[in-house]
Amino acid sequence: MQQFRRLTPLALALGLLLGSPTLLAAEDDAPAVAVDNGKAPLPLEELRTFAEVMDRIKAAYVEPVDDKTLLENAIKGMLSNLDPHSAYLEPEAFAELQESTSGEFGGLGIEVGTEDGFIKVVSPIDDTPASKAGIQPGDLIVKIDGQPTKGLSLMEAVDKMRGKAGSTISLTLVREGGRPFDVELTRAVIKVKSVKSQLLDDGYGLIRITQFQINTGEEVGKALAKLRKDNGKKLRGLVLDLRNNPGGVLQAAVEVSDHFLKKGLIVYTEGRIANSELRFNADPADASEGVPLVVLINGGSASASEIVAGALQDHKRGVLMGTDSFGKGSVQTVLPLNNDRALKLTTALYFTPNGRSIQAQGIVPDIEVARAKVTREADGELVKEADLAGHLGNGNGGADKPSNGKKAQDPRPQDDDYQLSQALNLLKGLNVTRGE
């Protein structure tokens, strides 16, 4: 993209995935960034208090505790009290974070955050144990294998849910203030297919993005080309489905947005460290060919999903439909440390082209459509004119259409998905009014 600045290793490390994964491109020997915030160094008195507390614990705690454990716990405490997304990554967690952006990792396939001291589901990932078990965005995980989650840090809860593929785990969930219920799951190697696409109807396509990975932008470009080829001509409408998409890599969100925009700002970030203030602009090329667009979002659409939805909404490129998004508008940078450890630190906030901060507010759809079940009723034994003996033929020579003459359709995604069916109906309605 012509207007992108060449990113430094630190800038490349910016990502937007809630709970776990951010983009990892910062190298171990990346230069340290000094921040002059105008404040005096930490007072000596506080350092003495810290040393005294550590000494008292070592001397008086009921069981022996080594210095390494105490210092690592202190570091975790510093990070956990900043915000829900900053964390100290030990070697195993650091390695798992790197795996997640490549689209393959072990676990349940569930993105989580925190709320009131409990672990909250942001979204289950498509075709994973979590989604197959019926886990929904907003579910509170109150127990893991019978052990309460109250008071656990996000990283501690994630560690408990991860495990060897094929092993089982029990989650106790609370949904919408109801009674707790248990869900049994079998851990698996999670292979996330970032982009899926198909034709919904003649001339109308669907692109679903489950997670923003490093190659998602390229995959969306290929999906658009394939839909045009399968349709045999230019599409008449497209649904971009970002529901239950927990986010991912910032650069991927920019590239996806750019496929639908010809000009203007896509997103910008503001922070305190060097290279945290970035601006991304659209390239004149339009891979979507200006196709009418409906974007589906819901409470499980977070972070990078909100960047795409916000950019398309601000530029009036498409109609947003569904329910309010999650509201994660912060950027995490992965800062490698020695001994294969790292900090995942919130370093900036992102803003939509019109200057909106999504943090703790989310994106509000243009048309609100709640999740609902579609039930279809049979027409029954209705008799039409064409069924009557001796009926007149069509004056223009058209074929008769008796009541039993309609051929049954193969199942389609929109048949059981109310929000998707409404998005498709809106696209068809727009084309009717345009005379297409």
Side-chain angles (χ1 to χ4, degrees):
M1 299 175 195
Q2 296 174 349
Q3 297 169 356
F4 286 177
R5 284 191 285 164
R6 187 173 183 83
L7 300 182
T8 65
L10 180 60
L12 280 169
L14 295 175
L16 293 158
L17 188 60
L18 180 68
S20 49
T22 55
L23 172 60
L24 298 173
E27 299 181 9
D28 289 343
D29 58 354
V33 179
V35 179
D36 182 9
N37 56 18
K39 294 183 180 180
L42 189 67
L44 185 59
E45 190 63 34
E46 275 72 12
L47 288 173
R48 284 176 178 156
T49 301
F50 177 83
E52 183 179 1
V53 169
M54 185 172 171
D55 188 56
R56 292 288 180 91
I57 293 172
K58 289 173 62 179
Y61 187 63
V62 66
E63 294 177 351
V65 187
D66 60 71
D67 291 344
K68 179 181 177 183
T69 299
L70 288 174
L71 289 171
E72 291 207 338
N73 287 341
I75 293 170
K76 292 175 184 177
M78 277 193 286
L79 274 296
S80 65
N81 283 296
L82 294 176
D83 68 88
H85 311 300
S86 294
Y88 174 63
L89 304 178
E90 296 183 87
E92 185 177 353
F94 190 18
E96 288 171 346
L97 190 151
Q98 291 172 289
E99 291 172 4
S100 67
T101 56
S102 69
E104 182 173 329
F105 52 96
L108 302 176
I110 187 172
E111 294 294 335
V112 292
T114 57
E115 182 176 282
D116 298 328
F118 289 106
I119 306 302
K120 183 178 182 179
V121 176
V122 175
S123 65
I125 300 172
D126 288 0
D127 304 321
T128 64
S131 64
K132 292 174 183 177
I135 293 176
Q136 297 180 12
D139 287 350
L140 292 180
I141 303 174
V142 295
K143 290 182 181 180
I144 300 174
D145 280 335
Q147 299 298 312
T149 60
K150 185 74 172 178
L152 286 182
S153 71
L154 190 63
M155 294 304 296
E156 287 171 335
V158 170
D159 286 343
K160 286 181 177 292
M161 288 187 282
R162 285 180 174 143
K164 187 176 180 181
S167 62
T168 59
I169 183 173
S170 173
L171 300 182
T172 303
L173 307 176
V174 172
R175 180 171 298 162
E176 297 177 350
R179 295 179 63 84
F181 62 96
D182 294 333
V183 177
E184 300 289 332
L185 302 100
T186 301
R187 296 180 178 94
V189 175
I190 310 299
K191 297 181 179 180
V192 180
K193 183 173 175 58
S194 175
V195 178
K196 303 175 184 178
S197 64
Q198 68 181 101
L199 287 173
L200 297 172
D201 214 335
D202 183 29
Y204 297 93
L206 167 68
I207 292 180
R208 166 143 181 79
I209 305 177
T210 60
Q211 192 181 69
F212 285 88
Q213 299 168 3
I214 294 170
N215 297 322
T216 298
E218 180 183 352
E219 290 178 20
V220 168
K222 292 178 180 178
L224 285 166
K226 185 176 186 302
L227 286 172
R228 281 195 300 271
K229 181 179 179 182
D230 292 345
N231 191 53
K233 55 185 176 181
K234 182 179 176 180
L235 293 171
R236 301 177 66 194
L238 180 71
V239 178
L240 179 62
D241 188 357
L242 301 178
R243 292 173 299 175
N244 297 337
N245 182 321
V249 178
L250 170 62
Q251 186 74 22
V254 171
E255 292 173 3
V256 169
S257 301
D258 193 32
H259 282 313
F260 299 96
L261 297 172
K262 291 183 178 180
K263 62 180 180 180
L265 187 62
I266 293 174
V267 65
Y268 66 95
T269 64
E270 291 184 353
R272 294 172 57 236
I273 65 173
N275 304 309
S276 65
E277 296 190 358
L278 304 172
R279 297 176 70 86
F280 298 90
N281 293 281
D283 188 278
D286 181 11
S288 68
E289 299 182 324
V291 60
L293 181 67
V294 173
V295 183
L296 287 176
I297 60 172
N298 66 1
S301 306
S303 194
S305 301
E306 294 170 296
I307 284 181
V308 175
L312 298 178
Q313 187 179 50
D314 281 4
H315 285 288
K316 300 189 184 303
R317 174 60 183 87
V319 178
L320 264 61
M321 181 179 285
T323 55
D324 292 3
S325 64
F326 183 77
K328 180 181 181 291
S330 61
V331 180
Q332 280 68 51
T333 303
V334 177
L335 304 172
L337 305 172
N338 55 15
N339 298 326
D340 297 322
R341 289 162 169 77
L343 295 181
K344 181 159 73 80
L345 195 65
T346 298
T347 55
L349 296 176
Y350 71 77
F351 298 84
T352 71
N354 288 350
R356 291 185 292 163
S357 172
I358 297 161
Q359 178 62 26
Q361 292 187 357
I363 294 286
V364 178
D366 301 306
I367 301 175
E368 183 172 348
V369 177
R371 185 169 174 257
K373 284 189 175 181
V374 179
T375 56
R376 300 185 179 275
E377 295 183 1
D379 288 338
E381 298 297 324
L382 296 177
V383 177
K384 295 185 176 182
E385 173 73 13
D387 296 319
L388 301 177
H391 67 271
L392 297 175
N394 183 272
N396 291 326
D400 289 352
K401 292 184 178 180
S403 57
N404 61 355
K406 193 169 183 178
K407 188 178 180 181
Q409 288 185 316
D410 293 330
R412 304 168 301 174
Q414 62 267 33
D415 293 338
D416 297 314
D417 187 334
Y418 179 67
Q419 291 173 320
L420 180 57
S421 68
Q422 290 297 96
L424 182 58
N425 287 338
L426 176 58
L427 287 171
K428 291 181 176 180
L430 290 172
N431 281 323
V432 168
T433 58
R434 292 173 181 173
E436 297 180 6

